[in-house]
Amino acid sequence: MKLIFRNFITYKLLNSLFLGLSVGSIFTIYTPIKDPSIYSIGGIVLAVGMLAVAQLYQKILTIEWFYRISLFVEFVMLAAILWFLKFPYTYQTALLVYSGYQLTFIFGSYLVRAETLIVEDDERLRLLDSAKQIGYLVGMGGSYIFYKILQHHNITNAQTKVYDLHWLLFATEIFIIIFIMRSFGRE
């Protein structure tokens, strides 16, 4: 398996765009979770999960596993978005979205380490990190503009705004999945 860098950099840009778009919506989605101990439990699960993944580095620090895990993480995000669009603003939805994010975060350190090993070239890493920051900035600015446009159209309820934003997140996630699939090819 080989990395197709041109597509990979687009994937990473879109992935960071998604993060920038979504980061502010989390606080509204998590509103039904009133018990702060849930976040403690989530943090414990996250730490144990990251520890377990680190124990597998000898086996999974390969391009094939990087591709599989990256794709898995994106499908988890897609499932969380679809669930949210179907069942917004219940305790169960907030817990499911939180769990989905925690599940993806379990692989965070692994993905960064594997990405560095797979890309290998300093200039490509510079381009990749620059694309990530640009995507994040555009996403944050885009979410701000999106919320202001909704407000201009007299949509002021935070839950409605976040729900509407998830249609944009859904479209972005589809493109993310397409580009992760196009980022790897057979040698």
Side-chain angles (χ1 to χ4, degrees):
M1 185 169 262
K2 68 177 182 170
L3 180 69
I4 303 166
F5 188 73
R6 182 182 72 254
N7 291 338
F8 187 69
I9 201 166
T10 303
Y11 154 67
K12 294 308 284 189
L13 180 109
L14 289 170
N15 188 272
S16 294
L17 174 78
F18 178 94
L19 178 62
L21 285 169
S22 68
V23 75
S25 69
I26 300 297
F27 303 106
T28 301
I29 293 170
Y30 292 171
T31 301
I33 301 175
K34 303 288 186 208
D35 184 1
S37 69
I38 296 296
Y39 301 108
S40 297
I41 292 168
I44 292 167
V45 170
L46 175 62
V48 169
M50 291 177 85
L51 183 61
V53 169
Q55 303 313 304
L56 298 172
Y57 276 5
Q58 187 175 8
K59 178 181 172 140
I60 64 175
L61 278 175
T62 67
I63 195 167
E64 290 86 4
W65 276 103
F66 179 75
Y67 171 70
R68 290 178 194 154
I69 291 171
S70 296
L71 199 56
F72 170 75
V73 164
E74 298 308 337
F75 276 113
V76 168
M77 291 309 303
L78 181 63
I81 292 166
L82 290 171
W83 183 273
F84 180 77
L85 288 171
K86 177 110 173 112
F87 307 105
Y89 301 112
T90 64
Y91 176 78
Q92 181 183 11
T93 296
L95 204 53
L96 206 71
V97 170
Y98 177 67
S99 298
Y101 272 100
Q102 292 298 91
L103 180 59
T104 64
F105 293 160
I106 285 173
F107 296 101
S109 291
Y110 161 78
L111 291 171
V112 170
R113 293 199 193 307
E115 178 181 283
T116 302
L117 292 172
I118 290 164
V119 173
E120 294 179 335
D121 178 81
D122 293 348
E123 178 60 16
R124 284 185 166 192
L125 286 170
R126 182 189 69 76
L127 291 170
L128 201 56
D129 284 350
S130 297
K132 288 182 200 177
Q133 291 309 310
I134 291 166
Y136 185 70
L137 287 168
V138 170
M140 291 293 290
S143 68
Y144 176 81
I145 291 167
F146 184 82
Y147 291 140
K148 289 300 180 182
I149 289 170
L150 291 178
Q151 188 174 333
H152 179 74
H153 291 285
N154 295 320
I155 300 170
T156 56
N157 180 282
Q159 292 179 344
T160 303
K161 287 180 178 181
V162 168
Y163 180 82
D164 290 346
L165 178 74
H166 272 68
W167 289 104
L168 182 57
L169 292 174
F170 172 74
T172 304
E173 188 61 39
I174 295 298
F175 283 107
I176 289 170
I177 291 169
I178 289 168
F179 274 94
I180 189 72
M181 291 173 146
R182 291 183 177 177
S183 293
F184 297 88
R186 296 280 168 212
E187 287 193 272

